[in-house]
Amino acid sequence: MAEQEHEHVRVAVIGSGFGGLGAAVRLRREGITDFVVLERAGSVGGTWRDNSYPGCACDVPSHLYSFSFAPNPDWPRTFSGQEHIREYLEHVADTFRLRPHIRLDSEVEQLRWDNEKLWWEIDTAKGTLTADVVVSATGPLSDPKTPDIAGIDTFPGKVFHSARWDHDYDLRGKRVAMIGTGASAIQIVPAIQKEAGRLTLFQRTPPWVMPRADRAISNAERWLHRQLPFTTQARRGLLWGIRELQVQAFTKHPDELGMVERLAKRNMHRAVKDPELRAKLTPDYRIGCKRILLSNTYYPALAQPNVDVVASGLSEIRGNTLIASDGTEAEVDAIVFGTGFHVTDMPIADRVIGADGDTLMQSWKNGMKALRGATAAGFPNFMTVIGPNTGLGNSSMILMIEAQLNYLADYMRQLHVLGGRVALNPRETAVTGWNNRVQDRMKRTVWNTGGCNSWYLDANGVNTTVWPGTTTEFRHATRHVDVGEYEVVRAPAPAAPTTRTKKKAKVNAA
């Protein structure tokens, strides 16, 4: 039976958010045009397409939350909203001529490494293809996480996650429950508080909230950035530099964050006059242990008469009645889950089958780990953008993405130099050594010592999410691929003919 032929590409990129589009641009700049971008949805944008909830915006300044190779002089605000960031990503796809490479509605269902052919076989919703190299840029904030609450299946009202907002459902006059107090929740609460008849916030852990220095960027500023591009670069550089100087307080000297805590408390006291409500909203852990949130409207919204704060997590649902862990009850018409994402257990890992027949999820059963945050032992020519321990607690993830794109570019160069059908498989010793160094540095950080239980930690309490250093350090660590950290794998040589075969061949030739 003839072997079925599939489309083959040099590189397959999974996802079309910042990581996926960035990888596509970098490949083109390296002269590689034989690639596809596999996107499960019907348009590009990643998390900035999926998260369209009321009030959705970025908590990183606009000029820092954009590619260095695609500056945008026309950001309308210092902290941009979801619609402007999504528009920016569409612009990147057009400007760098990525559309012909993008396959929409092509969710990746499984990837299998072929040890003989040294390529990945990729099953998608639209068929199968093969690729020499796979770049997974699905992102850690792509698959919503909803807690398993007793009785949720019997709730008669409306239920949805913040990342899957139902815009057809009218919240006006409704009794709404907001579950969670993370970065999405503190934007949603002020946005829907005026519409809801009653809003009940179920708060398992209060966040630290600092003022948000957001404002419209003037026409004069935008004109200046368009006419003199170096002013955009200078603005970006200043924003970056300030955050680089802050890193030591998070990674080496958490006690220095006490002053920041006092500023956050002052921010709360200005808006919340009720001592009982203040007590509910005051965290009992060091600021920075969880991500510091930015808002000027969250506390004022919570102080409104139509808002109730339940200082306990949701534990059970009986009909329309929601019951908190402390026994507090609330009758609601709709439930909005702002409960985060599968960060330390990324679903894509369960779809990737490596050289030994194990999935990446199985390989990571004791915790995610990857060499320089990018490659995992047993998974040749497979690279993750925003992989283990590449997250940030105080700066822009675009900086980390671009550092990993440098690593991708050199990875492709090394494969080209090696020549032929070849793959690079990270050595287990290299992956373990890198991970041990990262985790050793993590011990003194505020994320490990601050006394909180955050989404940075996996099921074993290990921080597999955040990078314990500056973006400069990470960029230096990912500038080049050290081939010594990899096993060079070549396709098996064809078997030498036996003596009998050689003799037969000679007779036939005669």
Side-chain angles (χ1 to χ4, degrees):
M1 182 176 177
E3 184 179 345
Q4 184 179 357
E5 291 188 5
H6 303 303
E7 177 189 14
H8 181 79
V9 294
R10 181 62 170 156
V11 185
V13 179
I14 308 173
S16 68
F18 269 99
L21 295 181
V25 172
R26 193 55 191 267
L27 288 170
R28 284 189 63 96
R29 294 176 76 183
E30 289 295 312
I32 300 170
T33 57
D34 182 19
F35 69 89
V36 295
V37 179
L38 302 172
E39 169 54 54
R40 67 182 177 185
S43 60
V44 304
T47 192
W48 294 105
R49 173 199 60 236
D50 296 342
N51 286 268
S52 60
Y53 58 79
C56 184
C58 190
D59 59 1
V60 175
S62 305
H63 286 89
L64 194 59
Y65 200 79
S66 46
F67 290 121
S68 63
F69 54 79
N72 179 15
D74 287 313
W75 287 116
R77 301 194 66 84
T78 51
F79 290 86
S80 289
Q82 173 263 345
E83 67 277 14
H84 298 119
I85 297 173
R86 184 178 180 186
E87 181 181 321
Y88 171 77
L89 289 171
E90 296 278 2
H91 173 73
V92 168
D94 290 331
T95 300
F96 292 92
R97 305 190 304 279
L98 303 181
R99 299 287 183 188
H101 300 276
I102 298 172
R103 309 283 176 83
L104 301 175
D105 301 309
S106 299
E107 180 169 9
V108 171
E109 296 167 346
Q110 190 178 79
L111 301 97
R112 296 176 300 277
W113 175 252
D114 189 316
N115 284 310
E116 293 186 359
K117 296 178 179 176
L118 299 191
W119 67 34
W120 286 95
E121 188 171 299
I122 308 166
D123 294 335
T124 78
K126 285 194 171 179
T128 300
L129 70 153
T130 54
D132 296 328
V133 177
V134 169
V135 180
S136 177
T138 59
L141 306 182
S142 58
D143 290 280
K145 192 173 189 177
T146 302
D148 185 14
I149 305 294
I152 185 68
D153 294 337
T154 63
F155 179 69
K158 190 70 178 177
V159 180
F160 51 88
H161 191 280
S162 60
R164 301 290 185 268
W165 195 270
D166 188 340
H167 291 278
D168 293 329
Y169 184 75
D170 190 353
L171 293 175
R172 285 178 295 183
K174 299 291 197 310
R175 299 168 298 177
V176 183
M178 181 77 227
I179 315 300
T181 53
S184 299
I186 73 153
Q187 295 179 343
I188 293 169
V189 167
I192 68 173
Q193 174 266 320
K194 294 177 182 178
E195 293 185 359
R198 185 142 215 93
L199 177 59
T200 303
L201 175 68
F202 284 79
Q203 170 192 269
R204 189 173 59 181
T205 309
W208 285 104
V209 182
M210 293 287 288
R212 181 183 178 87
D214 186 31
R215 64 171 179 82
I217 297 177
S218 69
N219 290 332
E221 289 174 274
R222 286 190 255 175
W223 178 87
L224 184 65
H225 292 329
R226 284 194 299 272
Q227 299 303 313
L228 301 173
F230 76 87
T231 61
T232 307
Q233 297 170 359
R235 187 171 191 158
R236 177 187 175 88
L238 179 62
L239 292 167
W240 166 78
I242 291 171
R243 281 154 182 77
E244 288 289 272
L245 293 174
Q246 295 171 346
V247 170
Q248 284 210 356
F250 288 85
T251 60
K252 296 180 180 179
H253 309 291
D255 290 342
E256 294 180 358
L257 293 165
M259 182 179 71
V260 184
E261 280 187 13
R262 290 191 289 274
L263 292 174
K265 286 181 179 178
R266 192 177 304 165
N267 180 45
M268 183 203 305
H269 286 201
R270 276 197 295 264
V272 181
K273 305 305 180 185
D274 180 1
E276 185 178 345
L277 181 55
R278 277 188 200 166
K280 289 181 180 180
L281 300 176
T282 302
D284 62 359
Y285 55 88
R286 173 63 77 192
I287 194 169
C289 184
K290 288 174 175 278
R291 189 174 181 96
I292 300 173
L293 307 182
L294 305 178
S295 177
N296 299 327
T297 55
Y298 179 63
Y299 287 141
L302 295 183
Q304 297 306 308
N306 69 328
V307 178
D308 295 314
V309 177
V310 178
S312 183
L314 177 61
S315 67
E316 185 182 355
I317 299 173
R318 296 177 192 161
N320 280 92
T321 303
L322 274 57
I323 304 169
S325 300
D326 65 0
T328 303
E329 297 185 1
E331 286 196 7
V332 303
D333 304 305
I335 302 173
V336 179
F337 283 103
T339 46
F341 301 84
H342 289 276
V343 175
T344 60
D345 58 343
M346 292 185 286
I348 189 67
D350 207 29
R351 306 181 185 188
V352 184
I353 302 173
D356 298 329
D358 290 336
T359 66
L360 186 57
M361 187 76 81
Q362 290 170 326
S363 176
W364 283 347
K365 63 184 177 182
N366 295 319
M368 298 192 304
K369 57 180 180 179
L371 177 60
R372 303 182 188 275
T375 55
F379 298 83
N381 284 6
F382 181 86
M383 184 176 296
T384 301
V385 177
I386 315 183
N389 291 112
T390 60
L392 296 176
N394 76 311
S395 192
S396 172
M397 279 305 302
I398 312 306
L399 302 169
M400 301 296 278
I401 289 172
E402 289 198 33
Q404 291 198 293
L405 298 184
N406 290 339
Y407 197 72
L408 168 63
D410 198 49
Y411 193 100
M412 299 305 299
R413 293 184 205 119
Q414 296 300 333
L415 290 178
H416 177 72
V417 169
L418 289 168
R421 296 219 55 78
V422 64
L424 293 175
N425 183 24
R427 298 182 186 277
E428 184 67 50
T429 53
V431 176
T432 300
W434 171 265
N435 188 64
N436 288 344
R437 292 192 295 274
V438 169
Q439 292 304 324
D440 186 60
R441 293 183 64 180
M442 196 71 70
K443 291 176 182 176
R444 61 197 293 189
T445 67
V446 68
W447 307 302
N448 279 34
T449 65
C452 72
N453 182 24
S454 73
W455 58 266
Y456 298 150
L457 309 180
D458 66 14
N460 300 314
V462 179
N463 192 328
T464 58
T465 305
V466 185
W467 167 245
T470 64
T471 61
T472 302
E473 290 176 290
F474 189 75
R475 187 169 65 244
H476 180 76
T478 53
R479 185 170 296 158
H480 300 293
V481 171
D482 180 357
V483 179
E485 295 180 328
Y486 290 84
E487 174 193 359
V488 178
V489 184
R490 291 193 179 276
T498 63
T499 304
R500 181 176 297 176
T501 304
K502 289 179 180 177
K503 189 174 182 179
K504 185 177 181 181
K506 187 174 182 180
V507 170
N508 288 341

